[in-house]
Amino acid sequence: MRQLEVENQLRDVVSRIILQVELATAQGRTDINLALEDAFIPILKSVFNLPHLINLNRKQKNYPGIDLGDDHDRVAFQVTSTTGLEKVKFTVGQFMTRSYYNTFDELYVLMLGKKQSSYSQNAVNALLTEDFSFNCAKHIIDLGDILGMVTGLRLAAQERVLAELRHILGEVDAFISIRSETVEAPTAITTNLQEIRLPDAVYVAELTINDKAVVERAKVELSYRGYAKGRRAVVKMALLLNDVQTDAWVCHDNKLFSFTDIASSGLVSIVDEGTVERLDVADLADSDELDNVNVLKQLLAAEARQMLKARNVRAHPKDGFFFFVPFEDGQDIRREAWVGKANATRTVYVVRYQKKDPDKVLHHQHFSFELTFSNLGGTWFAQIVPSWYFSYDGFRRSNWHDKLLSKQKRLELNLSVRNAVRFVAYFLLNSSGADEADEQSLRFGTLLEFDVDRDGEEDLDDGDIAADAAFDDDMTDDEVAA
């Protein structure tokens, strides 16, 4: 059941975020909240129904005392990785001293780590006046509380929040590198954010298809069975009926959007040609309308799907992540050469056979990754979250996927994950359009890095693997090489 699956995934990703934040805090990296202020806005908008919530630090640098606020519904948030009473008292004290109660009726302290079992209400009350009230039991929240609120949302909203939480997990992983104390810190922190170059224009036109007629034709000409599960499925069928194979488009509000000139491509077969319009990509990227920005993000994902399809990398039809598939039927293993600090090879697909009966397939193991797109400070990035996908036939999810993935994750070192991100970035960079002058191509650049003041770095070569990071007994080092 999809509902149960999403709730399990929500619990898993929240627990991982809490663990990573607590480990970062234990290492003295208490400023991790600064990297996550913007990331929590879509989630808090959904669970608290605050459509006007913004990052106050964008209105005033280092906005004192609070981080996020909705002055329309009069709710403010302080986002912190510190969970002690002193942090609560400091926040409330700042709120009262600066008379924020004239703008906001409620203040929440959102703790990224697990909050204490209780907080002294008397200690907080000593800071309050009759102008404002703060209830520790209600207004001090952590990610466990957020999770409880999310489970009360509709499934579609839960799935959107799940995507945002995965995005946050990626930012946490990019912020802090959890390494053994015996290994020196690196001279540069490599994030999982890869800079991208947006195409210059977006084309849009009105759709003219009759959904019912398209489905009826698809049943006859495409051997389609069942009912269309959404408008996108109908548009896809309409394109296939016109022998148009591309996935590089988005439909929204009865309009078709694409980076490709609709009038001069097969896409024109399902639109009113007289309505084709060219927009500057900035019209979407810099729009104040959330729908416009979301259309752009969906277009970037669609363009990536089309680009990677040519490299035998598929997008999961339901969950959207990318996974490597064999080049041809019957291929048992696929390796990809890449260059990090040295030439290396990574196995991205392998067929596992049963040990008791070597002629029978146990499962197919695919290297996978998620891509999400974000505008950070005016620059667009693709965020890479590597993982693994286990199928029983090369495409459809194995019944044992979750168990196999959990086992694989336990074996991976942080260094392995970092090298996996670097591999994906290299692969995407070399999958981009070859023509730099092509203004309509999506191009992937380099990973964002931050220099740190250290003398040196002990690292594994890009093609090496830590001794304990084998997937199962008969898996070779090369098969899990980073």
Side-chain angles (χ1 to χ4, degrees), residues 351-460:
V351 181
R352 298 290 177 199
Y353 291 92
Q354 296 181 15
K355 292 181 179 180
K356 293 182 179 179
D357 189 348
D359 293 328
K360 292 184 178 180
V361 173
L362 184 63
H363 58 258
H364 301 247
Q365 181 175 349
H366 313 254
F367 181 72
S368 69
F369 57 94
E370 294 182 30
L371 282 183
T372 55
F373 298 91
S374 301
N375 181 352
L376 303 177
T379 302
W380 279 83
F381 294 91
Q383 179 175 278
I384 300 166
V385 179
S387 188
W388 296 91
Y389 176 56
F390 298 88
S391 68
Y392 69 85
D393 62 355
F395 293 95
R396 287 173 287 189
R397 184 186 298 265
S398 166
N399 291 334
W400 301 100
H401 167 80
D402 291 341
K403 182 177 180 180
L404 293 167
L405 180 61
S406 178
K407 181 178 180 181
Q408 178 71 18
K409 291 290 187 182
R410 289 197 301 269
L411 294 173
E412 289 181 344
L413 298 174
N414 189 67
L415 179 59
S416 302
V417 177
R418 188 182 70 174
N419 281 337
V421 169
R422 293 165 63 200
F423 163 75
V424 174
Y426 177 89
F427 188 85
L428 292 172
L429 174 64
N430 287 277
S431 299
S432 300
D435 186 2
E436 285 282 359
D438 183 1
E439 296 178 344
Q440 283 308 106
S441 67
L442 168 63
R443 292 199 59 83
F444 289 82
T446 58
L447 287 170
L448 180 64
E449 289 190 345
F450 298 101
D451 292 332
V452 293
D453 187 17
R454 299 289 183 181
D455 294 331
E457 175 180 9
E458 292 181 18
D459 205 349
L460 296 177

Side-chain angles (χ1 to χ4, degrees), residues 74 92-104 131:
R74 299 177 62 86
V92 173
Q94 287 280 302
F95 192 93
M96 299 304 298
T97 299
R98 299 177 184 278
S99 302
Y100 289 146
Y101 47 79
N102 291 324
T103 305
F104 302 105
D131 297 307

Side-chain angles (χ1 to χ4, degrees), residues 182-209:
T182 61
V183 179
E184 293 182 9
T187 57
I189 297 175
T190 303
T191 73
N192 66 340
L193 299 174
Q194 184 172 14
E195 187 171 352
I196 61 173
R197 188 194 74 180
L198 300 179
D200 282 0
V202 175
Y203 295 86
V204 58
E206 292 282 345
L207 288 163
T208 58
I209 59 176

Side-chain angles (χ1 to χ4, degrees), residues 12-58:
D12 176 67
V13 73
V14 166
S15 64
R16 290 169 63 189
I17 292 172
I18 292 173
L19 176 62
Q20 293 288 65
V21 168
E22 289 178 346
L23 287 170
T25 303
Q27 290 185 333
R29 304 302 303 273
T30 55
D31 56 341
I32 191 170
N33 59 290
L34 300 178
L36 302 180
E37 290 171 359
D38 284 334
F40 271 101
I41 290 176
I43 296 174
L44 296 174
K45 280 184 174 181
S46 294
V47 299
F48 285 92
N49 192 23
L50 299 172
H52 304 286
L53 188 68
I54 63 170
N55 189 336
L56 297 173
N57 290 313
R58 296 193 180 280

